[in-house]
Amino acid sequence: MAGRGMRQFSEGGFPLLVQVQLNDGTWATFDTQLPKDAATLPWRLVLTLVILLAATLLLSYVAVRWVTRLLLTAMSHDLKTPITRMRLRAEMLEDDGLRVKFESDLGEMEAMVTETLLFMRGLSGREPKQPIDVAGLLESIQGDNEAMGRTVTIDGRASQPVMGNPGLLKRCVSNLVDNAVLYGQQADIQVEEDAVQLTIRVRDQGPGIPEPELEAVFEPFVRLEGSRNRETGGTGLGLSIARNIARAHGGDVRLVNRASGGLEAVLSLPWKPSTRKVAA
């Protein structure tokens, strides 16, 4: 290449050389030398574009989720009024069979609206936190379920209060207990603790969940096949609400299949209040 007329470049630059062979066999050479600083320009440009793209995607995600939660909360709240009017009108129907069907459909609609509002409320995590008597909270849930003829057992106690919102945490555990009772006949609650966190395990005696579905069921409105019945399948928001309430308190909820059979919902909560923000 140098024998074809390539000139020497000064040190410290970025050489750029192009050679083209012509039809008559001779070579045309085009060469230049970029300044040393220009050699890093493409990488700087790529890095800048990557940062801008990441920032744009992040801001877009936050904005879209925020607008969606605004919209969903407003729509769910406004739907309560017409549902109430429809329920009053359904009670005036003379046909008993038709009235029962209307009331069943309205009950399902009302449950979905209520669960959606609770889902949005659990996402915010802005309610003031206070010490919660874990034993009292679990016993209250146990009493509510026993009044409905359900079997709920409790094993273990927390040695200290956990910080959080009592209403939201009761909803979180209640949803896990409801899930256990509906699919596994009964709920067995195991309370454990260490120096860092409180762990509440809600176990059932049901068939469990296929491993690939263990995370999918936490998505809003997702229900497993065969669980479409309103009496057993619910609205598909129960686990979503439970996880988002837990995360708003700095904890989490996960599902595991027990080796001995059945499903275990594991709720973990830190002892100290959390400042963690949960996106909608």
Side-chain angles (χ1 to χ4, degrees):
M1 302 289 285
R4 295 190 182 122
M6 178 178 175
R7 65 181 175 84
Q8 296 294 322
F9 292 101
S10 61
E11 295 182 1
F14 181 76
L16 181 63
L17 175 67
V18 177
Q19 290 185 319
V20 179
Q21 187 173 25
L22 303 179
N23 291 333
D24 61 0
T26 61
W27 289 82
T29 302
F30 307 90
D31 61 79
T32 186
Q33 183 172 3
L34 298 177
K36 184 177 181 180
D37 292 342
T40 61
L41 180 61
W43 295 108
R44 292 179 181 175
L45 179 60
V46 170
L47 180 60
T48 300
L49 291 176
V50 169
I51 293 175
L52 288 174
L53 178 61
T56 301
L57 291 175
L58 178 61
L59 290 175
S60 299
Y61 175 81
V62 172
V64 170
R65 300 284 291 203
W66 180 81
V67 171
T68 301
R69 186 176 71 179
L70 174 60
L71 288 176
L72 284 178
T73 301
M75 291 173 60
S76 298
H77 184 272
D78 291 342
L79 279 172
K80 280 193 168 184
T81 300
I83 289 176
T84 301
R85 289 200 302 261
M86 293 171 67
R87 184 179 294 279
L88 293 174
R89 292 170 182 170
E91 291 176 355
M92 295 186 291
L93 292 174
E94 297 181 357
D95 188 323
D96 293 340
L98 185 61
R99 184 176 64 255
V100 170
K101 291 180 180 179
F102 265 105
E103 290 178 345
S104 175
D105 290 340
L106 288 172
E108 182 173 351
M109 291 174 62
E110 191 171 27
M112 292 183 68
V113 170
T114 301
E115 291 291 277
T116 301
L117 288 173
L118 288 169
F119 177 64
M120 294 302 144
R121 187 184 177 202
L123 286 170
S124 66
R126 296 176 182 174
E127 292 76 9
K129 295 179 174 60
Q130 63 187 65
I132 301 173
D133 177 10
V134 178
L137 183 143
L138 295 179
E139 289 170 2
S140 174
I141 294 174
Q142 183 185 44
D144 293 341
N145 281 271
E146 288 180 345
M148 294 186 287
R150 296 173 167 183
T151 300
V152 176
T153 66
I154 302 174
D155 183 21
R157 296 180 68 88
S159 61
Q160 59 180 308
V162 68
M163 297 300 296
N165 179 278
L168 289 181
L169 285 183
K170 183 175 182 180
R171 167 59 58 180
C172 175
V173 179
S174 293
N175 284 3
L176 299 180
V177 170
D178 287 343
N179 197 66
V181 172
L182 290 174
Y183 293 104
Q185 292 75 53
Q186 71 178 63
D188 299 312
I189 302 175
Q190 176 74 39
V191 182
E192 302 172 357
E193 62 178 34
D194 57 30
V196 178
Q197 68 181 15
L198 170 73
T199 302
I200 299 176
R201 303 178 185 273
V202 181
R203 299 165 175 164
D204 65 41
Q205 300 177 10
I209 295 178
E211 291 293 327
E213 304 291 338
L214 286 175
E215 278 298 312
V217 293
F218 283 104
E219 294 297 320
F221 305 109
V222 170
R223 292 180 292 182
L224 296 178
E225 290 299 325
S227 301
R228 301 298 178 183
N229 188 294
R230 174 68 186 91
E231 297 301 319
T232 57
T235 61
L237 279 172
L239 290 175
S240 299
I241 293 171
R243 169 170 277 185
N244 281 286
I245 290 175
R247 288 182 173 179
H249 286 74
D252 205 354
V253 174
R254 60 188 179 90
L255 299 177
V256 294
N257 287 308
R258 301 170 59 196
S260 58
L263 188 71
E264 179 177 274
V266 184
L267 167 62
S268 58
L269 295 168
W271 293 119
K272 295 183 179 180
S274 172
T275 57
R276 179 181 179 181
K277 300 295 183 181
V278 179

